[in-house]
């Protein structure tokens, strides 16, 4: 007899990246198509314009995802979508499409917590059993562990997220947003030679990045003899060192030996 494997169609649009994919119950990714709303250098993305982008491309991506997975709507068992957290207008745009497809195709609709989904995807890919999770993105910087039947936050940023810090610095130096500001900062950092000491703010299990951003903006205004590459290198090394410190502290506190670095780029 043939074994029927459950298939899920997933829709994600919590920020400027829109994605649609088909995955089976074993975690095998059958398709994963994406389209990114890219704004000009020196600018960010606003909720309304991002929502318009998602509305314009989502149906095309759904068709591409089904085609790449070689499945038809009747093969799909459930439709999942990002419920939050994220930007309101883009989330709403994708949720409406998910609900309409669920009604048209007669499929169950499953709302998904964005943060938990990142963690669970990381566990599937890495085969980690009980890890400490360093969850970082444009809107999140958290050290998380599973304890007493819940994911619990052991440390986090007390102001802005690390991705937001990198994005805002990239805008200050007018880096391209394609494919992402953080990626382009990383490429410049590879050419950096001189490390510049920056504010290093770790308070117990929490971190602060706003002071580093202010320091960088002031440094650029003073027009000191520093290259952009050196600034990117120093920024990256300082931020990552802070994250490593609180992650190691969480591992010692929880007695865990595995770490997942869940970075949404």
């Amino acid at each position: 007899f043939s074994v029927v494997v459950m298939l899920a169609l997933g829709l994600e649009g919590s920020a400027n990246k829109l994605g649609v994919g088909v995955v089976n119950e074993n975690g095998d990714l059958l398709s994963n198509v994406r389209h990114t709303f890219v704004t000009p250098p020196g600018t960010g993305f606003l909720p309304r314009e991002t929502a318009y982008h998602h509305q314009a491309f989502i149906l095309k991506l759904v068709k591409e995802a089904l085609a790449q997975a070689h499945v038809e709507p009747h093969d799909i068992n459930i439709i999942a979508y990002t419920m939050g957290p994220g930007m309101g207008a883009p989330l709403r745009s994708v949720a409406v499409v998910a609900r309409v497809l669920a009604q048209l195709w007669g499929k169950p609709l499953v709302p998904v917590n964005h943060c938990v989904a990142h963690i669970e995807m990381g566990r599937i890919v890495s085969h980690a059993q009980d890890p400490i999770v360093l969850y970082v993105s444009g809107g999140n910087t958290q050290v998380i562990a599973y304890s007493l039947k819940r994911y619990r936050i052991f440390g986090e940023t007390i102001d802005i997220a690390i991705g937001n810090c990198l994005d805002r610095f990239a805008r200050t130096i007018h880096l391209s947003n394609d494919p992402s500001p953080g990626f382009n900062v990383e490429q410049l950092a590879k050419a950096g030679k001189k490390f510049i000491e920056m504010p290093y703010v770790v308070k117990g299990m929490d971190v602060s990045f706003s002071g580093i951003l202010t320091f960088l903006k002031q440094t650029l205004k003073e027009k000191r003899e520093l290259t952009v590459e050196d600034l990117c290198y120093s920024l990256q090394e300082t931020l990552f060192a802070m994250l490593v410190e609180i992650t190691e502290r969480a591992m010692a506190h929880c007695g865990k030996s595995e770490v997942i670095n869940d970075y949404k780029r």
Side-chain angles (χ1 to χ4, degrees), residues 42-43 63 106 137 151-152 156 163 172 204 208 225 232 235 242 246:
T43 65
K63 293 177 182 177
S137 67
Y151 280 112
R152 301 183 186 273
E156 60 185 335
T172 300
S208 171
E225 294 183 2
C232 289
L235 172 63
M242 293 164 63
I246 62 172

Side-chain angles (χ1 to χ4, degrees), residues 166 169 173 175 182 184-198 212 216 226-241:
L166 290 167
F169 176 64
I173 59 176
L175 283 186
N184 293 324
V185 169
E186 181 182 349
Q187 302 317 302
L188 287 177
K190 293 177 181 178
K193 304 295 183 183
K194 181 180 179 182
F195 179 79
I196 304 142
E197 188 171 345
M198 298 183 179
I212 298 176
L216 286 166
L226 301 169
T227 67
V228 172
E229 290 79 5
D230 287 341
L231 288 174
C232 289
Y233 164 68
S234 302
L235 172 63
Q236 187 170 273
E237 291 300 307
T238 303
L239 296 180
F240 292 177

Side-chain angles (χ1 to χ4, degrees), residues 45 135-142 157 160-171 177 180-183 185 209 213 235 239-240 243 263-265:
F45 51 91
Y135 177 42
V136 289
S137 67
N140 301 277
T141 300
Q142 299 170 327
T157 177
I160 61 175
I162 184 173
N164 186 246
C165 180
L166 290 167
D167 290 350
R168 288 165 67 177
F169 176 64
R171 289 202 294 269
N177 290 318
S180 72
F183 176 82
V185 169
F209 302 125
L213 189 60
L235 172 63
L239 296 180
F240 292 177
L243 295 179
Y263 177 27
K264 181 184 177 184
R265 171 172 284 160

Side-chain angles (χ1 to χ4, degrees), residues 73-89:
H74 63 80
D75 298 315
I76 300 296
N77 300 101
I78 63 171
I79 295 176
Y81 71 99
T82 304
M83 180 179 63
M87 300 174 70

Side-chain angles (χ1 to χ4, degrees), residues 19-229:
V20 180
V22 177
V23 63
N24 66 25
E25 63 185 83
N26 300 317
D28 300 319
L29 196 59
L30 306 184
S31 64
N32 181 23
V33 295
R34 291 167 286 179
H35 198 279
T36 302
F37 176 49
V38 178
T39 58
T43 65
F45 51 91
L46 299 174
R48 179 184 296 178
E49 286 75 14
T50 307
Y52 290 158
H53 165 270
H54 291 3
Q55 293 164 19
F57 285 94
I58 190 166
L59 293 181
K60 177 184 177 183
L61 265 58
V62 168
K63 293 177 182 177
E64 290 181 5
L66 293 175
Q68 283 189 20
H70 303 292
V71 297
E72 298 292 335
H74 63 80
D75 298 315
I76 300 296
N77 300 101
I78 63 171
I79 295 176
Y81 71 99
T82 304
M83 180 179 63
M87 300 174 70
L91 281 171
R92 234 176 352 258
S93 298
V94 174
V96 168
V97 173
R99 291 180 186 129
V100 171
L101 290 178
Q103 290 178 343
L104 287 174
W105 298 347
K107 307 296 181 181
L109 187 63
V110 180
V112 176
N113 180 288
H114 189 182
C115 303
V116 174
H118 273 288
I119 296 171
E120 294 301 331
M121 285 190 296
R123 289 185 60 227
I124 289 173
V125 171
S126 66
H127 303 291
Q129 297 301 311
D130 187 22
I132 290 289
V133 180
L134 175 60
Y135 177 42
V136 289
S137 67
N140 301 277
T141 300
Q142 299 170 327
V143 177
I144 301 171
Y146 194 76
S147 176
L148 301 175
K149 299 183 179 180
R150 290 178 181 270
Y151 280 112
R152 301 183 186 273
I153 299 171
F154 285 84
E156 60 185 335
T157 177
I158 59 176
D159 41 46
I160 61 175
I162 184 173
N164 186 246
C165 180
L166 290 167
D167 290 350
R168 288 165 67 177
F169 176 64
R171 289 202 294 269
T172 300
I173 59 176
H174 291 87
L175 283 186
S176 171
N177 290 318
D178 187 19
S180 72
F183 176 82
N184 293 324
V185 169
E186 181 182 349
Q187 302 317 302
L188 287 177
K190 293 177 181 178
K193 304 295 183 183
K194 181 180 179 182
F195 179 79
I196 304 142
E197 188 171 345
M198 298 183 179
Y200 186 99
V201 185
V202 175
K203 297 179 180 292
M205 287 296 298
D206 296 329
V207 291
S208 171
F209 302 125
S210 59
I212 298 176
L213 189 60
T214 301
F215 171 84
L216 286 166
K217 290 180 178 179
Q218 188 61 40
T219 300
L220 289 169
K221 284 182 180 179
E222 293 173 356
K223 298 182 179 179
R224 292 161 55 183
E225 294 183 2
L226 301 169
T227 67
V228 172
E229 290 79 5

